[in-house]
């Protein structure tokens, strides 16, 4: 495997981590959805490259699914949802941006060190891709934890999903059947979440989770 | 017992004699001049003797044993490469402070409270560096602390100074306790107190771990590592300015000497995880120290907190040296140790210079608060120039000396990817980032210090009518400024001078710098990186002169004075200028909101109300509130409970004595 | 030896001549993007000449520091810019100062500029200085971490060595270098007082950072400071060009033909960078002041991540 090939794979995986960082940095919902679309596009490129170097044609289908669903359909739909709901376009982060980025930094350091230690005798491309994939997963979780808005938490969940796909393509051998079922479960999850959001909005006039907590009696 | 040793010991005796003479002279007018003159003379002699030792190559180690102290131990003294270097630092600082004191001491209102203790303080510091057994070391350490405490309590009528003295005494006792335990562990069950025996002994890893922790507590609290730094910003400003310079610039370095002596020399080869602790402490200390300094508006407190930052930088260098040493990378270890020691020298130079400047400002205006000063560059031109040199040096800007030690530390950080341990692989880049952050914040801090104090317009009549200070103070300041400049453009000589120290501790040295072209310094190899302070200075000077010449030939030379731009308003009062708090506000908003719980409250009157607007900034010292206040509460709780022991009957006391005796006999029975 | 000296001298003169041209070019492109005709590309030269002929108006309480600062800033910036390889690497004095020293030289210039801002004692200078040190306190560590990343990749902090290494085929496409590039671009925008951090063409004091510090300067002093600002922009552009687009750089001693090729490619790189910067500035709006620390914090994180990646894995 020539240097350039490995480097491009790492470059794409690293860009995915970078875009996850950019998601932490955003404070507007509109921009967050666009960054998520970019996230999905880079995931597509990464999966396509893996398909090319692993000579695994079924991964091309995975890439196509990622492109169509996650880069086009879901962002467009989310844009329409937030237009409909008229959600205030500012995201209130629970913790300041500087502290969030420091936490993100620490998580990336943790995941890289952990993965590189644990997989010390595996194939070099896979090791570093797994390290980046774990970083993307943890950063997706961080997005979910530090946002107050339900839509942005959904986006965090989706980016976590992207990290899982990256990990699965990095370690060779992910069958198409699994991917189709994964895609369907995403679709269903999306529909459920969408319905949920509309219902929440109808009932409580807001999708801010703090208001939900108040209703449940958790917070006074 | 060589001549050098004899001269050094007689110098110390000389200091003590001058102290006795000061007591005898009492309150007479000539006492100040005699005492400071004699101190500076003795310091210069000692300095010359140790510098001659370095210049003559690396002679053998000198020893001396005196029949003082405990009868079966005696007092051992030793002069080796490490002691030589620290003696230079101590006596250079002492000579400068004494020279400064010749002028500054005239303004002292209670000279009889300063003069007896000052030479004794210098003697104590010299003794600590020369001590070669645990007893002498601890005795000299306590003597040094006690003398500096007496100097801190000079103006004891002020409540703040009394509190500062109290906190200092408590922290110093705590430090000595830690050191006592450390030396106890090192000496082992047989009680071999001399350093020779300790060096030869074998120390089990758990013992070594304890000794490291105790040394960090003991020497670290005297040096000023976070969270043991709390006494520093109280005590250093309370003392007279030349004593503050000695405490900040020299005494903290004596504490660093203690740490190096025990960890690098006596303990043998410390484990690699020791470096993790030292690096983390160093990095946190550096950033917290400078953030604390940025929040201050008292000039001397700012300088004292900034000392904390520089101690952090020194400990980062020491931590890197420990890490490299434990992994067998001796050349990199020598680089890191040289960087740390170079910073020791640099800091003693520029911090003393800055404290001298602050003392000059204090004696000229009577104010330490920056918000009451301003415009002093017009009234005190020489002082402001020397202070500016100090500010540029401490902000690590080329071509002065602060940059050289920072550069060497960064080069040491760049050697560290070779380190195999994973925790080091994460911590070292983070610490490198913290070091860079603290350097940038230090520059911000000194723009604030110089800008608010010396530039702008005077904010009070005291600042408006200031006069420049006497020639002795100026001479001391300019000497140190010149030394800062010399160390910056000729760093190769300093590095070569430090090589005996690294050779003795790590058996390795940096490449010989005298061979490099253009007096550059080369950390590892010419091809990797080099820096020439002299050339940078020459280029800047040439470029500036060329620009000045070109301007004078071709540009208009017309110049006219006019009022400053006021945006259409009439001349604003000097109180409309930026204050210390307002200058630091952006940084406070970004960094201190989390660390110091910084909050701001603005109270604007409604239109028509005549009351003034108010701006209140809240800051909490989280370390004091989180660590010291609970400990103080716990201690007073326990003390209250134990108070009942004061009021027992005779029978109860007798039974306590009886119980203690029985317990000791039981212990003896079971153990033997 | 003499030819080396001449070549080094030529580089020092070249940067001096090209700096106002770069500034003028960027202004022209921005004007064209906004559908104006824009001033001529040579206008900055005329501006400098005009300022030199004007009388200096000094505030009544300006000190000697205020008067010598323009020369110090100009000298420090010129020396730093002249040490960056423009058309050739490995010149005579290139081992004088490595990348860390160049960053610190710029820090010196900024230190004195901030002091000059405080000198007059009005609130405008204070605003400029306090904001400038805030930006510097984040931009300088980010820059140093970028330097670390580059030094760890190339094995040296000397710029010539780094540039030669980056031009060689061993370097490959590395994630850490990509991050270093991102961080360096953000730092360059912040240090040169460009949109979105600061507006170089504003006249509103409350939106100024760099302009507020030099508000009181006039005449020949202002000429030196403007010249220094152009030099700084040229410095950062040359830095990005020689590290990340190093092809075309001649090696020292390669002969005049290689130097000419190097110069032509250098001017082409400057022009491209100028066009990209103009596009970026026209497309973005200035951030509010307390959003800038987040922006620079992002570049600090990028630099730290790049360094960390190199510590944990040599191939990243």
């Amino acid at each position: 495997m020539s240097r350039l090939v490995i480097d491009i794979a790492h470059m794409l995986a690293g860009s995915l981590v970078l875009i996850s960082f950019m998601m932490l940095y955003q404070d507007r919902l509109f921009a967050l959805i666009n960054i998520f679309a970019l996230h999905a596009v880079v995931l597509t490129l990464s999966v396509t490259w893996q398909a090319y170097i692993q000579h695994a044609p079924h991964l091309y289908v995975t890439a196509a699914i990622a492109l169509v669903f996650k880069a086009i359909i879901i962002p467009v739909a989310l844009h329409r949802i937030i237009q409909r709901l008229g959600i205030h376009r500012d995201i209130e982060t629970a913790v300041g941006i500087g502290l969030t980025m420091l936490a993100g930094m620490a998580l990336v350091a943790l995941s890289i060190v952990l993965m590189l230690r644990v997989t010390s005798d595996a194939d070099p491309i896979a090791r570093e891709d797994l390290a980046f994939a774990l970083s993307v997963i943890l950063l997706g979780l961080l997005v979910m934890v530090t946002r107050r808005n339900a839509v942005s938490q959904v986006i965090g969940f989706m980016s976590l999903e992207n990290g899982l796909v990256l990990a699965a393509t990095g370690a060779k051998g992910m069958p198409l059947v699994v991917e189709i079922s994964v895609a369907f479960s995403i679709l269903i999850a999306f529909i459920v979440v969408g319905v949920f959001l509309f219902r929440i909005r109808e009932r409580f006039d807001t999708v801010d989770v703090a208001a939900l907590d108040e209703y449940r009696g958790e917070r006074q | 017992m060589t001549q050098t040793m004899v001269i050094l010991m007689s110098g110390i005796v000389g200091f003590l004699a001058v102290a006795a003479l000061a007591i005898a002279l009492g309150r007479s007018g000539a006492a100040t001049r005699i005492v400071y003159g004699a101190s500076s003379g003795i310091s210069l002699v000692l300095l010359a003797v140790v510098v001659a030792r370095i210049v003559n190559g690396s002679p053998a180690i000198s020893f001396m044993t005196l029949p003082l102290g405990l009868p079966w131990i005696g007092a051992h003294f030793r002069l080796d490469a490490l002691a030589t270097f620290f003696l230079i630092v101590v006596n250079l600082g002492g000579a400068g402070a004494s020279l400064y004191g010749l002028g500054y001491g005239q303004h002292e209102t209670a000279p009889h409270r300063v003069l007896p203790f000052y030479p004794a303080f210098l003697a104590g510091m010299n003794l600590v560096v020369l001590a070669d057994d645990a007893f002498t070391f601890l005795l000299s350490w306590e003597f040094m602390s006690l003398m500096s405490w007496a100097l801190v309590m000079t103006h004891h009528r002020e409540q703040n100074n009394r509190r500062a003295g109290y906190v200092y005494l408590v922290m110093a006792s705590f430090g000595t306790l830690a050191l006592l335990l450390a030396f106890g562990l090192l000496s082992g069950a047989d009680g071999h107190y001399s350093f020779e025996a300790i060096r030869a002994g074998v120390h089990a890893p758990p013992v070594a771990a304890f000794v490291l922790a105790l040394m960090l507590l003991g020497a670290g609290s005297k040096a000023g590592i976070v969270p043991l730094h709390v006494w520093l910003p109280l005590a250093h400003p309370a003392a007279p300015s030349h004593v503050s310079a000695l405490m900040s610039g020299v005494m903290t370095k004596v504490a660093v000497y203690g740490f190096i002596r025990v960890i690098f020399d006596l303990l043998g080869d410390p484990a690699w995880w020791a470096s993790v602790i030292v690096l983390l402490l160093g990095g946190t200390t550096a950033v917290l120290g400078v953030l604390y300094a940025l929040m201050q508006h008292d000039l001397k407190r700012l300088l004292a907190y900034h000392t904390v930052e520089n101690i952090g930088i020194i400990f980062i260098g020491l931590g890197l040296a420990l890490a490299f040493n434990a992994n067998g990378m001796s050349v990199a270890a020598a680089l890191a140790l040289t960087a740390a020691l170079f910073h020791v020298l640099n800091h003693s130079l520029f911090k003393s210079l800055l404290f001298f400047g602050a003392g000059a400002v204090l004696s000229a205006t009577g104010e330490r608060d920056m918000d009451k000063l301003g415009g002093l560059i017009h009234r005190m031109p020489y002082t402001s120039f020397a202070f500016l040199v100090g500010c540029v040096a401490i902000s690590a800007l080329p071509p002065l000396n602060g940059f050289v030690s920072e550069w060497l530390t960064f080069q040491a950080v760049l050697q560290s990817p070779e380190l195999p341990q994973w925790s080091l692989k994460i911590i070292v880049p983070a610490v490198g980032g913290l070091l860079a952050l603290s350097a940038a914040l230090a520059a911000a801090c000194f723009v604030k210090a110089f800008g608010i104090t010396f530039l702008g317009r005077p904010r009070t009549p005291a600042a408006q009518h200031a006069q420049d200070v006497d020639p002795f103070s100026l001479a001391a300041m300019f000497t140190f400024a010149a030394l800062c400049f010399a160390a910056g453009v000729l760093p190769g000589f300093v590095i070569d001078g430090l090589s005996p120290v690294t050779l003795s501790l790590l058996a390795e040295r940096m490449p010989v710098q005298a061979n490099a072209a253009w007096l550059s310094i080369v950390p590892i190899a010419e091809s990797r990186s080099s820096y020439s302070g002299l050339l940078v200075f020459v280029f800047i000077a040439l470029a500036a002169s060329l620009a000045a010449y070109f301007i004078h030939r071709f540009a208009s030379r017309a110049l006219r004075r006019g009022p400053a731009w006021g945006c259409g308003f009439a001349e604003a009062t000097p109180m409309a200028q930026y204050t210390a708090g307002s200058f630091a506000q952006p940084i406070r908003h970004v960094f201190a909101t989390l660390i110091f719980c910084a909050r701001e409250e603005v109270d604007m009157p409604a239109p028509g109300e005549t009351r003034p607007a108010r701006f209140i900034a809240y800051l909490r010292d989280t370390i004091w509130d989180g660590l010291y206040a609970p400990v103080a509460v716990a201690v007073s709780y326990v003390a209250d409970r134990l108070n009942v022991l004061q009021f027992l009957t005779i029978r109860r006391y007798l039974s306590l004595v009886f119980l203690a005796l029985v317990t000791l006999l039981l212990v003896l029975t079971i153990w033997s | 030896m003499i030819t080396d000296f001449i070549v080094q001298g030529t580089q020092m003169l070249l940067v001096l001549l090209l700096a106002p041209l770069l500034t003028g070019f960027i202004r022209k492109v921005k004007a064209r993007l906004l559908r104006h005709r824009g001033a001529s590309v040579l206008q900055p030269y005329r501006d400098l000449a005009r300022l030199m002929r004007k009388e200096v108006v000094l505030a009544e309480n300006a000190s000697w520091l205020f008067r010598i600062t323009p020369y110090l800033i100009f000298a420090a910036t010129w020396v730093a810019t002249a040490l960056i390889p423009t058309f050739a690497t490995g010149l005579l004095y290139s081992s004088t100062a490595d990348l860390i020293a160049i960053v610190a030289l710029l820090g010196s210039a900024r230190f004195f500029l901030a002091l000059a801002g405080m000198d007059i004692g009005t609130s405008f200078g204070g605003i400029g200085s306090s904001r400038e040190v805030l930006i510097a306190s984040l931009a300088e560590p980010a820059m140093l971490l970028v330097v670390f990343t580059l030094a760890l990749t190339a094995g040296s902090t000397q710029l010539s060595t780094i540039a030669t290494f980056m031009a060689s085929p061993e370097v490959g496409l590395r994630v850490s270098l990509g991050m270093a590039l991102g961080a360096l671009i953000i730092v360059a925008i912040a240090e040169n007082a460009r949109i979105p951090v600061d507006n170089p063409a504003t006249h509103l004091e409350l939106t100024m950072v760099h302009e507020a510090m030099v508000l009181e300067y006039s005449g020949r002093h202002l000429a030196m400071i403007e010249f220094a600002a152009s030099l700084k922009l040229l410095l950062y552009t040359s830095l990005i060009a020689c590290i990340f687009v190093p092809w075309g750089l001649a090696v020292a001693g390669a002969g005049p033909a290689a130097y000419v090729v190097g110069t032509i490619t250098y001017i082409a790189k400057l022009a491209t960078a100028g066009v990209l910067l103009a596009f970026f500035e026209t497309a973005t709006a200035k951030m509010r002041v307390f959003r800038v620390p987040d922006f620079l914090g992002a570049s600090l994180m990028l630099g730290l991540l790049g360094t960390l990646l190199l510590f944990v894995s040599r191939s990243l």
Side-chain angles (χ1 to χ4, degrees):
Chain A
M1 211 62 83
S2 81
R3 253 339 279 283
L4 189 63
V5 165
I6 301 180
D7 280 341
I8 293 184
H10 287 162
M11 187 66 97
L12 289 168
S15 315
L16 212 58
V17 175
L18 200 64
I19 297 177
S20 298
F21 254 111
M22 280 169 69
M23 273 204 259
L24 284 177
Y25 176 74
Q26 297 306 318
D27 58 357
R28 296 189 189 286
L29 200 44
F30 193 83
L32 189 65
I33 298 176
N34 292 343
I35 300 278
F36 172 68
L38 184 62
H39 203 253
V41 167
V42 173
L43 178 71
T44 311
L45 288 171
S46 174
V47 174
T48 314
W49 186 253
Q50 289 289 341
Y52 170 65
I53 61 178
Q54 288 176 26
H55 309 292
H58 58 274
L59 288 180
Y60 287 116
V61 183
T62 310
I65 293 177
L67 183 68
V68 168
F69 278 128
K70 291 196 182 162
I72 301 179
I73 296 187
I74 292 185
V76 165
L78 278 177
H79 272 301
R80 290 175 65 182
I81 287 183
I82 65 170
Q83 296 268 29
R84 285 267 211 91
L85 289 179
I87 296 178
H88 197 299
R89 296 203 196 97
D90 253 14
I91 301 177
E92 290 155 30
T93 52
V95 186
I97 287 188
L99 199 57
T100 317
M101 288 213 284
L102 261 172
M105 191 62 233
L107 286 174
V108 170
L110 173 68
S111 55
I112 290 181
V113 168
L114 181 64
M115 274 315 216
L116 287 178
R117 276 177 87 165
V118 162
T119 61
S120 45
D121 47 356
D123 166 36
I125 312 183
R127 289 177 67 198
E128 280 151 8
D129 275 346
L130 279 174
F132 285 136
L134 184 60
S135 313
V136 173
I137 293 174
L138 287 177
L139 285 175
L141 270 173
L142 189 64
V143 169
M144 285 176 74
V145 163
T146 58
R147 304 281 183 218
R148 293 214 184 129
N149 192 308
V151 175
S152 40
Q153 288 179 349
V154 165
I155 290 181
F157 174 70
M158 304 257 160
S159 69
L160 191 151
E161 202 66 69
N162 286 353
L164 285 172
V165 172
L166 182 67
T169 55
K172 298 175 193 156
M174 183 171 126
L176 189 58
V177 173
V178 177
E179 176 59 9
I180 289 183
S181 47
V182 166
F184 266 110
S185 62
I186 292 176
L187 196 56
I188 292 174
F190 178 77
I191 293 173
V192 168
V193 166
V195 166
F196 232 110
L197 285 177
F198 272 110
R199 284 302 170 92
I200 296 172
R201 171 81 178 156
E202 273 179 43
R203 185 81 179 77
F204 303 117
D205 262 341
T206 173
V207 289
D208 187 345
V209 290
L212 288 177
D213 279 340
E214 234 171 274
Y215 186 75
R216 280 177 58 200
E218 302 269 285
R219 273 186 5 173
Q220 251 51 48
Chain B
M1 220 160 78
T2 63
Q3 217 179 12
T4 317
M5 209 53 191
V6 169
I7 299 180
L8 287 170
M9 294 312 289
S10 14
I12 293 178
V13 170
F15 277 130
L16 294 170
V18 173
L21 180 65
I23 299 179
L25 284 173
R27 292 169 195 248
S28 90
T32 310
R33 273 192 291 278
I34 295 177
V35 169
Y36 287 123
S39 308
S40 70
I42 301 177
S43 301
L44 282 172
V45 165
L46 295 182
L47 181 64
V49 156
V50 279
V51 168
R53 226 179 113 90
I54 288 199
V55 167
N56 289 339
S58 342
I61 304 174
S62 313
F63 295 90
M64 183 188 267
T65 312
L66 291 179
L68 303 169
L70 295 175
W72 62 94
I73 300 179
H76 300 259
F77 298 100
R78 175 177 138 125
L79 180 64
D80 61 0
L82 183 64
T84 313
F85 173 69
F86 276 93
L87 278 177
I88 292 182
V89 172
V90 169
N91 288 306
L92 191 56
S98 309
L99 179 61
Y100 183 80
L102 274 171
Y104 180 81
Q106 306 293 343
H107 301 278
E108 183 58 62
T109 48
H112 57 283
R113 292 181 67 93
V114 175
L115 293 173
F117 301 112
Y118 178 81
F121 182 37
L122 289 175
M125 290 196 285
N126 277 298
L127 274 172
V128 173
V129 177
L130 282 171
D132 194 37
D133 69 78
F135 186 72
T136 318
F137 185 90
L138 284 171
L139 194 63
S140 323
W141 184 277
E142 272 294 84
F143 183 64
M144 176 180 80
S145 306
L146 203 57
M147 292 299 110
S148 52
W149 176 81
L151 288 166
V152 165
M153 294 292 278
T154 307
H155 302 129
H156 63 121
R157 300 216 184 275
E158 287 167 52
Q159 161 76 344
N160 288 335
N161 292 349
R162 284 201 298 274
R163 179 163 177 261
Y166 176 66
V167 174
Y168 181 30
L169 205 58
V170 170
M171 294 300 294
S173 314
F174 170 73
T176 311
L177 176 64
L179 283 179
L180 197 62
L181 290 172
F183 280 114
L185 279 174
L186 280 174
S187 308
D190 299 326
H192 294 293
Y193 290 121
S194 76
F195 283 179
E196 287 292 324
I198 296 179
R199 207 173 281 129
V202 173
H203 307 285
V207 170
F210 268 115
V211 169
L212 174 76
L214 287 167
M215 280 312 288
L216 277 173
L217 286 176
S221 73
K222 185 66 109 210
I225 295 188
V226 161
L228 301 164
H229 67 286
V230 285
W231 62 275
L232 228 147
L234 292 171
H236 286 194
S241 305
H242 53 311
V243 176
S244 308
L246 278 179
M247 287 175 76
S248 249
V250 181
M251 194 170 74
T252 47
K253 309 301 171 299
V254 173
V256 171
Y257 161 79
F259 183 79
I260 297 180
R261 173 67 77 192
V262 171
I263 302 294
F264 280 84
D265 192 13
L266 296 181
L267 205 50
D269 283 316
W272 67 269
W273 49 262
S275 61
V276 172
I277 305 175
V278 176
L279 275 171
L280 283 175
L281 276 176
T284 342
T285 308
V287 174
L288 280 180
V290 75
L291 281 175
Y292 270 116
L294 271 163
M295 304 295 126
Q296 303 303 317
H297 57 92
D298 176 335
L299 190 55
K300 284 174 86 170
R301 269 181 80 120
L302 185 147
L303 292 174
Y305 268 119
H306 208 268
T307 304
V308 172
E309 185 230 355
N310 282 291
I311 294 291
I313 297 179
I314 294 174
F315 272 88
I316 290 179
L318 289 176
L320 283 171
L322 281 173
F324 290 132
N325 197 25
N327 284 302
M329 298 161 63
S330 336
V331 178
L335 173 61
L337 188 61
T338 310
L341 292 175
F342 204 134
H343 202 78
V344 163
L345 178 66
N346 284 345
H347 184 239
S348 71
L349 287 176
F350 45 62
K351 194 42 75 69
S352 306
L353 169 60
L354 288 170
F355 265 108
F356 292 164
V361 167
L362 180 59
S363 59
T365 61
E367 288 287 350
R368 256 162 53 182
D369 188 345
M370 288 190 273
D371 290 335
K372 297 197 171 62
L373 297 169
L376 292 176
I377 195 172
H378 302 284
R379 308 289 313 175
M380 304 171 68
Y382 298 110
T383 309
S384 49
F385 180 73
F387 199 88
L388 181 63
V389 173
C391 288
V392 174
I394 204 171
S395 310
L397 301 175
L400 293 180
N401 55 352
F403 175 67
V404 180
S405 50
E406 289 261 336
W407 189 79
L408 287 171
T409 318
F410 282 136
Q411 294 292 338
V413 169
L414 287 171
Q415 301 297 318
S416 32
E418 315 289 334
L419 292 167
Q421 289 92 2
W422 282 96
S423 43
L424 282 172
K425 278 191 201 277
I426 309 185
I427 288 176
V428 174
V431 165
L434 286 176
L435 184 61
L437 183 64
S438 73
L441 285 171
C445 185
F446 280 93
V447 168
K448 168 179 148 164
F450 189 78
I452 306 270
T453 314
F454 288 92
L455 299 177
R457 290 173 289 162
R459 293 177 179 82
T460 55
Q464 235 170 350
H465 302 300
Q467 294 288 337
D468 217 337
V469 289
D470 56 277
F472 290 111
S473 311
L474 288 176
M477 288 195 272
F478 277 108
T479 316
F480 274 34
L483 283 172
C484 284
F485 178 71
V489 298
L490 303 172
F493 295 111
V494 178
I495 295 181
D496 280 339
L498 284 170
S499 54
V501 183
T502 54
L503 273 172
S504 73
L505 291 175
L506 300 169
E508 185 61 70
R509 54 166 295 167
M510 279 177 65
V512 178
Q513 304 295 323
N515 299 336
W518 293 107
L519 293 174
S520 343
I521 50 174
V522 175
I524 305 284
E526 185 88 41
S527 56
R528 293 200 55 163
S529 38
S530 64
Y531 165 74
S532 169
L534 182 65
L535 271 184
V536 167
F537 171 68
V538 164
F539 282 155
I540 294 183
L542 275 177
S545 325
L546 210 61
Y549 169 74
F550 189 74
I551 295 282
H552 270 261
R553 275 300 310 273
F554 298 109
S556 148
R557 284 192 225 163
L559 186 147
R560 137 175 98 89
R561 293 267 179 179
W565 169 248
C567 209
F569 291 97
E571 166 117 352
T573 77
M575 300 310 277
Q577 289 175 100
Y578 260 55
T579 63
S582 50
F583 189 86
Q585 191 263 347
I587 294 186
R588 192 167 64 225
H589 183 96
V590 172
F591 292 99
T593 320
L594 188 67
I595 301 178
F596 300 135
C597 308
R599 304 274 175 267
E600 284 164 5
E601 208 176 86
V602 178
D603 175 31
M604 290 294 284
E609 288 184 48
T610 51
R611 66 189 171 90
R614 255 178 231 297
F615 176 87
I616 311 177
Y618 295 99
L619 283 171
R620 274 177 55 193
D621 186 347
T622 31
I623 295 181
W624 184 272
D625 291 342
L627 187 61
Y628 288 87
V631 168
V633 163
V635 165
S636 61
Y637 176 78
V638 169
D640 275 341
R641 290 270 161 273
L642 288 178
N643 205 18
V644 80
L645 282 175
Q646 300 273 8
F647 305 109
L648 299 175
T649 63
I650 304 237
R651 196 177 59 85
R652 292 261 164 92
Y653 284 129
L654 284 174
S655 42
L656 273 179
V657 172
F658 179 61
L659 270 171
L661 187 59
V662 170
T663 318
L664 283 171
L665 289 172
L666 265 175
V667 166
L668 205 56
T669 322
I670 297 177
W671 200 4
S672 61
Chain C
M1 180 72 191
I2 297 289
T3 39
D4 289 336
F5 200 73
I6 293 180
V7 173
Q8 174 80 67
T10 317
Q11 168 158 308
M12 296 179 83
L13 273 176
L14 184 70
V15 297
L16 211 54
L17 289 173
L18 283 180
L21 187 60
L22 179 65
T23 312
F25 179 70
I26 294 179
R27 284 191 201 150
K28 181 86 169 171
V29 175
K30 277 171 82 167
R32 284 288 166 140
L33 285 172
L34 294 170
R35 299 189 56 154
H36 303 160
R37 287 195 53 185
S40 138
V41 189
L42 301 176
Q43 185 60 29
Y45 294 103
R46 296 194 194 116
D47 283 338
L48 286 173
R50 170 180 56 92
L51 281 172
M52 302 252 269
R53 286 194 297 265
K54 288 195 150 198
E55 175 187 58
V56 164
V57 179
L58 271 185
E60 276 145 357
N61 61 329
S63 63
W64 56 266
L65 186 64
F66 191 79
R67 293 174 70 169
I68 70 166
T69 298
Y71 299 98
L72 285 176
I73 295 176
F74 177 74
T77 318
W78 186 20
V79 169
T81 316
L83 287 168
I84 298 195
T86 52
F87 57 86
T89 63
L91 294 178
L92 188 60
Y93 292 118
S94 60
S95 62
T96 307
D98 63 345
L99 205 41
I100 301 180
I102 290 176
V103 172
L105 271 173
L106 291 176
S108 304
R110 185 179 37 235
F111 185 84
F112 280 100
L113 189 61
L115 282 182
M118 312 262 326
D119 189 47
I120 306 295
T122 57
S123 26
F124 303 113
I127 250 192
S129 298
S130 66
R131 287 177 177 180
E132 176 70 19
V133 297
L134 172 69
I135 294 177
S137 69
L138 288 166
E140 202 174 294
M143 183 72 198
L144 278 169
L145 284 171
V146 169
V147 170
F148 282 0
T149 312
L150 294 170
L152 289 173
T153 315
S156 158
T157 46
Q158 288 292 0
L159 254 183
S160 300
T161 320
I162 296 179
T164 319
F165 181 82
M166 297 294 281
S168 73
E170 318 166 4
V171 68
L173 266 182
R174 291 182 179 217
V175 182
S176 46
L177 286 178
M179 298 192 167
L181 178 62
L184 186 55
I185 290 179
I186 296 181
V187 168
I189 291 176
E191 290 263 1
N192 287 300
R194 295 270 141 195
I195 293 179
V197 172
D198 180 19
N199 189 348
T202 182
H203 299 288
L204 305 169
E205 286 93 351
L206 283 175
T207 61
M208 292 176 177
V209 177
H210 182 263
E211 296 297 315
M213 289 189 286
V214 304
L215 199 63
E216 293 289 335
Y217 276 113
S218 53
R220 55 187 184 272
H221 296 155
L222 187 58
M224 307 243 73
I225 291 191
E226 301 255 309
F227 207 166
S230 311
L231 271 172
K232 200 167 173 186
L233 183 59
L234 187 74
L235 186 155
Y236 273 97
T237 323
S238 312
L239 191 64
I240 297 179
C242 90
I243 294 178
F244 292 103
V245 196
W247 306 285
L249 275 175
V251 181
Y259 290 153
V260 168
V261 168
T263 316
I264 294 178
T265 44
Y266 175 62
I267 295 182
K269 292 176 201 170
L270 284 183
T272 325
V275 169
L276 287 172
L277 181 61
F279 266 101
F280 183 69
E281 281 204 290
T282 320
T284 344
K286 179 172 161 348
M287 292 178 175
R288 43 181 266 264
V289 170
F290 283 116
R291 189 85 171 115
V292 173
D294 291 338
F295 186 54
L296 284 171
S299 88
L300 186 58
M301 291 300 139
L302 276 178
L304 191 56
L305 195 54
T307 313
L308 181 68
L309 285 175
L310 280 174
F311 264 78
V312 297
S313 158
R314 256 20 247 301
S315 62
L316 282 173

